[in-house]
Amino acid sequence: SERSGRRSEWIAALALQLKGYRVLQRRFRAHGGEIDLIAQRGRVVAIIEVKRRKVIDDAVGAVTARARRRIERAADMFVARHPYLAECEWRYDIVAIAPWRLKHLRGAWRFGE
């Protein structure tokens, strides 16, 4: 499961780079939360949760409200450690991966939802 997760994050990072994103951080850990990928394209910084399931919709649905809160707490810590990014637009994305499919949901949720 750990190896599958790392492989999924690698695939997601590669797909984002092909779309013009620059990966700033992988597996950022902070007290109470973790972010799979943090990527930037222009003035937009995307906090990205990567999920892999057999069905793409199941992967999207696997990002629960509790998981979103943990990701948001970690994002606050990341911004605190990188104040030069505070002026950027921030958004929360999901990269859902299923066999032979990848879906990038930009703005999958808003802070506090």
Side-chain angles (χ1 to χ4, degrees):
S1 142
E2 174 74 18
R3 191 168 56 186
S4 174
R6 285 189 185 271
R7 185 173 37 243
S8 296
E9 289 168 9
W10 182 85
I11 291 166
L14 179 61
L16 291 165
Q17 288 170 344
L18 291 172
K19 289 178 154 187
Y21 287 85
R22 182 170 57 103
V23 176
L24 302 176
Q25 183 88 38
R26 295 173 191 244
R27 291 192 165 213
F28 175 78
R29 294 176 193 256
H31 181 70
E34 179 184 322
I35 301 169
D36 293 332
L37 296 170
I38 302 170
Q40 182 177 11
R41 186 167 75 176
R43 305 252 330 125
V44 175
V45 176
I47 305 298
I48 302 158
E49 179 69 2
V50 178
K51 287 292 181 188
R52 179 183 191 98
R53 297 290 187 272
K54 290 183 180 182
V55 178
I56 211 87
D57 290 337
D58 291 348
V60 172
V63 184
T64 64
R66 184 176 178 198
R68 290 191 301 261
R69 286 193 306 274
R70 284 196 314 265
I71 293 164
E72 290 169 3
R73 281 194 302 270
D76 286 342
M77 295 296 291
F78 185 82
V79 174
R81 293 180 189 175
H82 301 88
Y84 64 94
L85 294 172
E87 299 300 317
C88 291
E89 176 187 334
W90 288 79
R91 75 171 187 233
Y92 297 95
D93 294 1
I94 297 172
V95 173
I97 298 175
W100 303 105
R101 290 205 54 211
L102 181 142
K103 185 174 187 178
H104 179 198
L105 293 164
R106 292 180 243 8
W109 78 90
R110 293 187 182 165
F111 183 82
E113 284 186 347

